Amino acid sequence: GSRAFNVGIALLPEHRGRGHGAEAQRQLAVYLFAHTTVERLEASTDVDNLAEQRALERAGFTREGVLRHAQFRGGGFHDLVLYSRLRGD
């Protein structure tokens, strides 16, 4: 079976830009690696969401690439950036 989880968070606007997202994703990764057999965590965000990309990188995730037209919203297709964090990272 799969040993990968896809993770994501949502922050209310008044709590953004303070590092809470990066810290939450870092702690989630630590918890999941300590308490499950998961090998790989994945997270993705819109190519234009630079703040979330920085947060994922601060949380120890590695940018893997762009998923072209991976999400349909607001009447059109959007590219996503895929990140991962492995147990050994």
Side-chain angles (χ1 to χ4, degrees), residues 11-18:
L11 292 176
L12 296 172
E14 62 267 25
H15 297 289
R16 294 178 186 157
R18 300 187 206 167

Side-chain angles (χ1 to χ4, degrees), residues 1-78:
S2 177
R3 299 269 299 261
F5 294 161
N6 190 293
V7 299
I9 64 166
L11 292 176
L12 296 172
E14 62 267 25
H15 297 289
R16 294 178 186 157
R18 300 187 206 167
H20 299 317
E23 182 61 15
Q25 291 172 113
R26 186 194 67 75
Q27 287 187 28
L28 177 61
V30 168
Y31 178 85
L32 290 172
F33 288 134
H35 297 283
T36 73
T37 60
V38 69
E39 174 62 22
R40 173 184 171 86
L41 301 176
E42 297 178 348
S44 60
T45 189
D46 192 277
V47 293
D48 294 329
N49 191 343
L50 300 180
E52 175 59 7
Q53 292 173 47
R54 284 191 301 271
L56 285 165
E57 290 165 5
R58 282 195 311 271
F61 285 73
T62 299
R63 181 183 174 118
E64 292 192 332
V66 175
L67 306 171
R68 300 179 307 146
H69 284 204
Q71 186 178 72
F72 186 85
R73 69 171 193 284
F77 287 98
H78 297 264

